[in-house]
Amino acid sequence: MKQYILPFRDLVVHPGLTVPVYIDNPMSVACIEAATNAGQKIVITAQHSWGYPCEPDDIYDIGTIGDIAQVLRMPDGALHAIIRTTDAVKLTDVSVEDGLFTANVAPIEMLDDATLEQTLALRDKIAENVQVLSIAKKFKIDKLRTIIQNYPLPAFIDSVIQTTGIETEDAVKILQAPSWREKLMILLEQINLMAETAKIEDSINRRIHQQMENGRREAILQEKMRAIQREMGEDSEEMDTENIRKRIERSSMSAEAKEKALSEWKRMRSMSPMSNEGGLLKTYLDELLAMPWNKSDKVSIDLKTARKVLDSQHSGMQGVKERILEHIAVMKKTGGNQGSILCFVGAPGVGKTSLCKSIAEALGRKYHRISLGGISDEAHFRGHRKTYIGAQTGRIMDALKRCKANNPVIVLDEIDKMGRDWRGDPESALLEILDPEQNKSFRDHYLEVDFDLSNVLFIATANSLNMSNALKDRMEIIEIPGYSEDEKVQIAREHLIERAAHDTGWDMNNIIISDDALRHLIRNYTSEQGVRELQREITAILRRSLLEHDGEDVKTEFTPQKIDELLSVRKSASIAKRIGFGVRA
């Protein structure tokens, strides 16, 4: 005959106990009433679901059967019942009808080994471990001590399960064990596991508490420091220090640089603002924060615009301009600076530096020129260590800071005029800067953190190929030949006359000069391959003409004869000056 089943959410009881239960669920009340009316025993079992179960799979197939000793009905419809459990049972053929569970039950055979020495030793070990666990879990063990001393094993096991809060699934495993020894073994395993877990939790809690105490201690000390600084009139310095920390945390610098900055900031905070080292650390942090870690000029490359810029600012040099446009086309396709470093080689005045400035304008990037003439110290590129007096960043980092972008066009002017002496070899540092495989992590001696230079477009200029082979291998040499006479005339017509007029204040409409006059000026008064000397001579005739007309730019036609007249006076004065110095010597 099937027995009625009373499901409980988290109650697992052992046989041989008298269990008082309070029931307010209508289905559970109906189950008690049905079992009482039929004069049957009732089975107490645990359930998987949180709410009242509705399927056979919602309850465990192990339970405890018992007699309903007493039922007390309350005015609100709830029941107080007392159940005396007799056996652990296995449930089969579970069915549900009108919300009431019924099943066939078969008692689980139990080996009565409660009085064996091994069983009693396991009980004592569990009691000892529960006492240790009670310290960590902070529950009372007084009632459990009384049960250990005066009650049988079923009450002991049930009390340990309820006191320590063992999981329902583990409690069911203990219930279905076929002997008291095995029940106690499973229970001891669970108690030991809970004790180890409690130790770990206690260790974590102590560590967190210690960290919180350290944090409070540091906060109190900082507040005292701020109070002392306010009394000393240094509160503004403290505010500035806190602002530096916020700027470091908000900055886009790399993780390595941010860690370094925060470390140096902690050192600076502990020092007096009036100390030398505190001032040096503040300067260092300002330099770190000023670097354009993630700031780029976002301008799309337009080849038509680039060609237009190059043609408008430079006459001739078609081969050179085409090579530059090829380089820009590769940059547009790859989105980076892939390709070799360009190096323009040519005589003075052929337009190497101005060509680099035009490239920056064509790309829409910042422009910065670094003159390398006479540099013989490696620190010019790598910077100085912070330990030196007057230490500062190298010229590459300084250029990036001034440009406020990490992708400017940096011109290394007169690269063939670098020197070398006991202070170091600047060429080795320059080789690292120009190598795309190495400059991704360039380390300045002053900053002491890696900076990515791969976005910078480096262009070099030189007057000759008097360079080491290693340096020439890093670059693509583009030779810019000198200008022919016709090209010089065209450049003067398109650029030089206007520039000279601007420098001397002339109105362009008042300057009349023919191509023949320009050729006369080029042949008789200039001797270089470039146009720099031609620029000076055009400016000279305009200045001399202003002097003759009392500072007014009277409309003048500069014929060959007029040019000779103006320049002969200037050159006669120069010769007389040299002769006079020779007499006095």
Side-chain angles (χ1 to χ4, degrees):
M1 182 175 62
K2 286 191 171 185
Q3 302 289 335
Y4 285 99
I5 299 172
L6 181 62
F8 278 97
R9 182 178 301 121
D10 52 6
L11 181 62
V12 178
V13 295
H14 276 70
L17 301 176
T18 299
V19 185
V21 293
Y22 173 76
I23 303 167
D24 59 356
N25 184 280
M27 292 299 180
S28 298
V29 170
C31 181
I32 291 288
E33 291 177 341
T36 304
N37 293 335
Q40 294 181 6
K41 294 184 176 186
I42 195 158
V43 179
I44 299 174
T45 186
Q47 63 187 51
H48 297 286
S49 59
W50 179 255
Y52 190 82
C54 56
E55 298 289 341
D57 291 340
D58 292 341
I59 63 174
Y60 286 91
D61 60 355
I62 303 295
T64 310
I65 194 168
D67 298 312
I68 302 173
Q70 184 179 347
V71 177
L72 178 61
R73 291 173 174 81
M74 307 298 293
D76 60 356
L79 293 180
H80 278 284
I82 296 177
I83 302 172
R84 294 192 183 96
T85 58
T86 58
D87 295 288
V89 293
K90 173 78 173 176
L91 309 182
T92 56
D93 193 19
V94 180
S95 60
V96 187
E97 186 175 345
D98 297 330
L100 301 182
F101 285 80
T102 59
N104 293 323
V105 299
I108 297 174
E109 295 294 333
M110 273 288 296
L111 176 64
D112 188 8
D113 56 352
T115 58
L116 295 179
E117 276 189 31
Q118 193 174 14
T119 304
L120 296 176
L122 283 171
R123 183 194 67 176
D124 295 341
K125 184 62 177 176
I126 290 172
E128 180 185 336
N129 288 7
V130 168
Q131 192 161 357
V132 174
L133 182 62
S134 67
I135 299 173
K137 301 288 281 186
K138 296 182 176 57
F139 57 74
K140 295 181 179 179
I141 198 174
D142 298 335
K143 182 179 178 182
L144 189 59
R145 282 201 194 97
T146 304
I147 292 171
I148 293 169
Q149 295 169 0
N150 304 308
Y151 286 84
L153 276 178
F156 170 74
I157 293 174
D158 193 69
S159 296
V160 171
I161 290 173
Q162 302 304 325
T163 303
T164 57
I166 289 177
E167 295 290 335
T168 301
E169 186 172 348
D170 297 321
V172 171
K173 289 180 182 179
I174 295 170
L175 177 62
Q176 68 179 342
S179 67
W180 294 110
R181 177 177 171 277
E182 291 189 34
K183 290 177 186 288
L184 292 173
M185 288 288 289
I186 298 172
L187 183 58
L188 179 60
E189 182 182 338
Q190 294 302 317
I191 295 299
N192 289 344
L193 181 61
M194 293 176 70
E196 290 299 323
T197 304
K199 287 180 183 177
I200 294 172
E201 289 179 353
D202 183 60
S203 175
I204 293 172
N205 290 335
R206 275 190 274 111
R207 194 178 300 122
I208 292 173
H209 180 73
Q210 182 67 31
Q211 290 175 353
M212 291 177 65
E213 286 297 320
N214 291 340
R216 286 185 57 195
R217 178 174 176 273
E218 187 175 346
I220 291 170
L221 291 176
Q222 288 180 5
E223 186 59 36
K224 286 184 177 180
M225 185 182 293
R226 280 193 287 269
I228 293 170
Q229 288 174 340
R230 279 194 291 270
E231 290 297 322
M232 296 176 64
E234 298 173 358
D235 190 48
S236 59
E237 292 289 344
E238 173 62 24
M239 292 295 293
D240 187 42
T241 302
E242 188 62 23
N243 288 335
I244 290 176
R245 182 185 66 80
K246 292 178 181 178
R247 287 171 60 198
I248 293 172
E249 292 176 346
R250 290 196 302 263
S251 70
S252 58
M253 65 177 68
S254 63
E256 177 202 9
K258 189 169 291 188
E259 182 180 354
K260 174 74 174 176
L262 288 173
S263 174
E264 296 297 324
W265 175 82
K266 289 178 182 177
R267 287 181 58 206
M268 183 191 72
R269 183 186 56 178
S270 63
M271 297 175 184
S272 169
M274 305 302 293
S275 67
N276 288 334
E277 190 172 0
L280 292 175
L281 288 175
K282 184 177 183 301
T283 303
Y284 170 74
L285 292 176
D286 287 338
E287 289 288 336
L288 267 183
L289 290 168
M291 294 304 299
W293 295 97
N294 200 26
K295 297 178 182 177
S296 303
D297 290 327
K298 303 294 184 182
V299 180
S300 60
I301 297 176
D302 187 344
L303 289 172
K304 292 182 179 178
T305 301
R307 185 182 292 275
K308 183 177 180 182
V309 169
L310 292 174
D311 288 339
S312 64
Q313 298 182 2
H314 299 275
S315 301
M317 297 191 295
Q318 290 304 316
V320 176
K321 289 190 286 188
E322 289 299 322
R323 177 60 189 89
I324 293 171
L325 290 171
E326 290 172 8
H327 196 82
I328 295 175
V330 173
M331 292 175 61
K332 179 177 181 179
K333 175 62 177 175
T334 60
N337 297 332
Q338 281 82 354
S340 54
I341 307 297
L342 300 182
C343 178
F344 299 133
V345 178
V350 296
K352 300 183 299 296
T353 306
S354 60
L355 196 60
C356 297
K357 188 179 294 186
S358 300
I359 293 173
E361 184 179 338
L363 294 173
R365 297 192 187 188
K366 303 284 194 322
Y367 168 83
H368 190 87
R369 186 180 71 89
I370 299 176
S371 178
L372 305 184
I375 285 181
S376 58
D377 188 354
E378 182 184 7
H380 279 280
F381 294 119
R382 295 191 187 276
H384 304 86
R385 302 284 183 187
K386 296 200 300 294
T387 52
Y388 293 113
I389 297 175
Q392 59 185 1
T393 59
R395 299 182 69 177
I396 300 296
M397 295 293 106
D398 183 66
L400 294 173
K401 183 180 67 174
R402 292 174 183 273
C403 293
K404 298 180 180 180
N406 64 7
N407 63 340
V409 174
I410 295 182
V411 177
L412 305 172
D413 208 7
E414 297 182 326
I415 197 172
D416 57 325
K417 292 183 175 60
M418 282 194 304
R420 178 188 301 179
D421 62 13
W422 57 270
R423 289 173 294 183
D425 181 10
E427 185 176 298
S428 60
L430 189 58
L431 289 173
E432 179 185 347
I433 291 170
L434 298 180
D435 189 344
E437 297 300 323
Q438 298 183 54
N439 65 13
K440 293 178 182 178
S441 56
F442 178 74
R443 183 176 288 255
D444 186 273
H445 286 165
Y446 182 80
L447 298 181
E448 296 180 338
V449 290
D450 292 343
F451 194 94
D452 186 2
L453 296 179
S454 61
N455 295 320
V456 179
L457 177 59
F458 291 102
I459 304 175
T461 70
N463 294 134
S464 69
L465 293 175
N466 186 24
M467 296 177 277
S468 68
N469 291 329
L471 195 56
K472 285 190 281 189
D473 286 342
R474 286 284 194 278
M475 303 180 294
E476 179 177 350
I477 306 298
I478 300 177
E479 296 192 23
I480 301 179
Y483 298 111
S484 65
E485 185 178 285
D486 292 337
E487 286 176 333
K488 289 182 178 180
V489 171
Q490 183 182 357
I491 292 171
R493 184 70 66 195
E494 294 179 356
H495 305 286
L496 303 184
I497 297 174
E498 183 178 356
R499 191 177 303 166
H502 178 269
D503 292 343
T504 55
W506 272 76
D507 183 352
M508 279 291 293
N509 295 323
N510 291 335
I511 301 174
I512 302 173
I513 185 168
S514 65
D515 289 352
D516 290 338
L518 289 173
R519 292 180 193 278
H520 178 77
L521 188 61
I522 292 168
R523 291 169 184 170
N524 296 283
Y525 296 94
T526 67
S527 59
E528 62 169 359
Q529 298 180 42
V531 292
R532 191 172 295 160
E533 192 175 358
L534 178 59
Q535 170 79 57
R536 287 196 295 267
E537 295 301 327
I538 294 174
T539 305
I541 61 175
L542 294 180
R543 284 200 310 267
R544 192 67 198 174
S545 181
L546 286 175
L547 179 61
E548 288 185 350
H549 296 94
D550 197 22
E552 294 293 329
D553 56 334
V554 178
K555 191 169 187 177
T556 306
E557 181 179 0
F558 293 94
T559 62
Q561 294 76 18
K562 182 67 175 177
I563 291 172
D564 290 339
E565 178 184 337
L566 295 172
L567 294 181
S568 63
V569 176
R570 176 169 167 266
K571 293 201 172 186
S572 297
S574 176
I575 292 171
K577 181 178 180 182
R578 288 199 299 272
I579 292 173
F581 275 121
V583 170
R584 284 196 296 272

